Amino acid sequence: MATSRSSDPRRVPDAPGAASAAAADTVGAPDTSCDVVTVPARQGLEAVDILRRGAGDAVGPVLHDGGGTLGFLVPPGTAAAWDVPGSTCTETDGRGLRLAPEPPVEGSDWLLPPGEDPATDPAVLRAALDEAQRLIEAADSCR
């Protein structure tokens, strides 16, 4: 189980690229509270595809660090119970976030920018990450 918690919402311990830095304080954007789930880019991109094929707006903002990780914004409190192997979930210690169209970390960019829904449902994300991992394993076994 790879669950991390940090008091600095702009840093995820042991997470390459700190894709979870979505917790930047940007002037002029609405306050939003959320935790950030960081996953390897391959699994995350597959999960985004799965979520976008689903019904409705199942996926909230997603950051890409330009390298090996994606960061999914999830509701506050998710980090306390997050137990998906191969991922980390960082809490923001109840501090409000300010999301803006500009990515909050230099070298990162929004794969899916902030919109009306600031967070992905953690149960839906967990299912998508599980399905993504199965698809990746199946594809790799065909080589």
Side-chain angles (χ1 to χ4, degrees):
M1 176 164 83
T3 301
S4 296
R5 295 191 189 125
S6 172
S7 60
D8 182 350
R10 291 168 288 202
R11 184 179 166 275
V12 175
D14 305 317
S20 70
D25 186 21
T26 306
V27 177
D31 280 337
T32 308
S33 293
C34 61
D35 291 350
V36 181
V37 172
T38 305
V39 299
R42 184 176 180 201
Q43 183 182 15
L45 291 168
E46 189 67 46
V48 167
D49 286 344
I50 292 164
L51 291 167
R52 293 187 84 185
R53 285 192 308 257
D57 297 326
V59 63
V62 179
L63 271 175
H64 188 273
D65 70 359
T69 61
L70 291 183
F72 290 83
L73 277 58
V74 293
T78 300
W82 190 257
D83 62 353
V84 177
S87 67
T88 59
C89 188
T90 302
E91 61 187 12
T92 60
D93 291 337
R95 290 189 258 170
L97 303 178
R98 293 182 181 265
L99 299 177
E102 301 82 30
V105 175
E106 188 175 330
S108 69
D109 202 359
W110 291 110
L111 180 66
L112 297 174
E116 300 261 335
D117 187 12
T120 300
D121 180 294
V124 173
L125 177 58
R126 180 183 319 268
L129 290 171
D130 288 345
E131 183 177 344
Q133 188 59 40
R134 287 191 303 274
L135 289 170
I136 289 168
E137 289 171 0
D140 288 350
S141 70
C142 291
R143 291 183 184 182

